[in-house]
Amino acid sequence: MQPFTLELGDGQRIVGDLHSGGPPGYLFLHGLGSVRTGEKSNSLLAHASARGRGLLRIDLRGHGESTGELGRVAVSELIADTLRVLEHVALAWQGPTVVVGSSLGGLLGAYAAAARPDLVRGLALLAPALGYVGNLEHRLDPTGRMWTGDGRGFVVEPRVLADGRRLDERGLPARLAVPTLVVHGTADEVIPHRHSERFFAAVADPRKELWVVPGGDHRLNTVANEIWARLDRLLAE
């Protein structure tokens, strides 16, 4: 793995790890409060390496080694960051990228694919955070803080709340024009799997697959290898 840095201007940057390989490369987008390294991204790295494909995993702004603070970076800004990254790697890999997004990362990947389908070879949405960012106010405690799964609290700025309300999530699935795999567990403790079922039903592109994992939690780490196999099959059809 090689260090990856994408300068965004005004002192802002995205930091990640880049594994060299052939096309189509993968871009891994983690969830809220997480970082680029972990069981799923390590599993995807092994999958890409075994097939001679490239992989980039990044820390979203406000996370890990990238700049910014949780609660101060709006979702629309993270979508724009994702598009910047996809434009960058399209040159390196000489073509579109397979985007794999977990939770918030899944939502970002879907918006990016809808905006620029020419940059996305395929899309895997793992327990995507559907119905989450538009109702952030209801997830705050009395002090205005939101809490991550590992017990870290952070204040969410009013402009970030307003930004979430402006996103058109209802019209998002109809705008997808790339092969899309949606995976969600029935025991997800963060996002109900019914959200993904409704989203999948509204995806107009016929190149799609829904896998509802019996007993699967929000992380879906235990079924990662099967996810990549299903994604490969979808892309090959």
Side-chain angles (χ1 to χ4, degrees):
M1 299 290 281
Q2 301 173 341
F4 172 88
T5 302
L6 182 61
E7 299 290 344
L8 302 174
D10 296 325
Q12 299 298 306
R13 70 184 62 87
I14 296 171
V15 176
D17 303 315
L18 179 63
H19 170 72
S20 59
Y26 296 93
L27 171 64
F28 181 79
L29 304 171
H30 63 76
L32 179 68
S34 187
V35 292
R36 67 185 186 268
T37 56
E39 291 183 51
K40 282 195 296 292
S41 70
N42 288 341
S43 173
L44 183 58
L45 171 60
H47 180 85
S49 299
R51 287 153 182 78
R53 298 176 186 169
L55 178 139
L56 173 62
R57 54 186 184 184
I58 61 171
D59 287 333
L60 302 175
R61 274 200 292 154
H63 300 74
E65 297 181 71
S66 295
T67 57
E69 296 179 30
L70 273 174
R72 301 187 68 180
V73 183
V75 174
S76 63
E77 293 171 331
L78 295 177
I79 296 169
D81 291 349
T82 302
L83 289 169
R84 290 278 299 274
V85 170
L86 286 171
E87 289 170 349
H88 182 88
V89 294
L91 297 175
W93 288 329
Q94 300 180 336
T97 299
V98 179
V99 179
V100 178
S102 175
S103 194
L104 174 62
L107 194 64
L108 301 178
Y111 275 107
R116 292 290 305 273
D118 58 305
L119 296 176
V120 179
R121 171 67 181 86
L123 184 63
L125 308 179
L126 317 183
L130 301 164
Y132 193 92
V133 299
N135 297 287
L136 289 177
E137 292 96 335
H138 302 296
R139 300 181 182 273
L140 305 180
D141 71 8
T143 69
R145 290 178 177 272
M146 181 176 289
W147 297 85
T148 63
D150 58 2
R152 289 179 294 138
F154 58 95
V155 175
V156 183
E157 291 190 343
R159 76 174 192 90
V160 174
L161 299 175
D163 176 83
R165 290 192 298 268
R166 286 193 295 268
L167 291 174
D168 177 22
E169 188 175 308
R170 180 169 296 183
L172 177 59
R175 301 199 302 272
L176 289 179
V178 301
T180 301
L181 170 67
V182 182
V183 184
H184 215 123
T186 60
D188 192 316
E189 68 284 8
V190 180
I191 307 294
H193 67 92
R194 301 297 184 192
H195 290 192
S196 278
E197 292 176 341
R198 288 193 293 268
F199 180 92
F200 177 82
V203 174
D205 196 294
R207 299 168 298 172
K208 63 179 183 176
E209 179 184 344
L210 172 67
W211 183 26
V212 178
V213 182
D217 62 10
H218 188 63
R219 300 178 68 190
L220 295 170
N221 289 337
T222 60
V223 294
N225 289 337
E226 175 62 20
I227 292 173
W228 319 141
R230 287 173 178 257
L231 179 60
D232 279 355
R233 288 196 296 269
L234 179 62
L235 295 178
E237 291 177 356

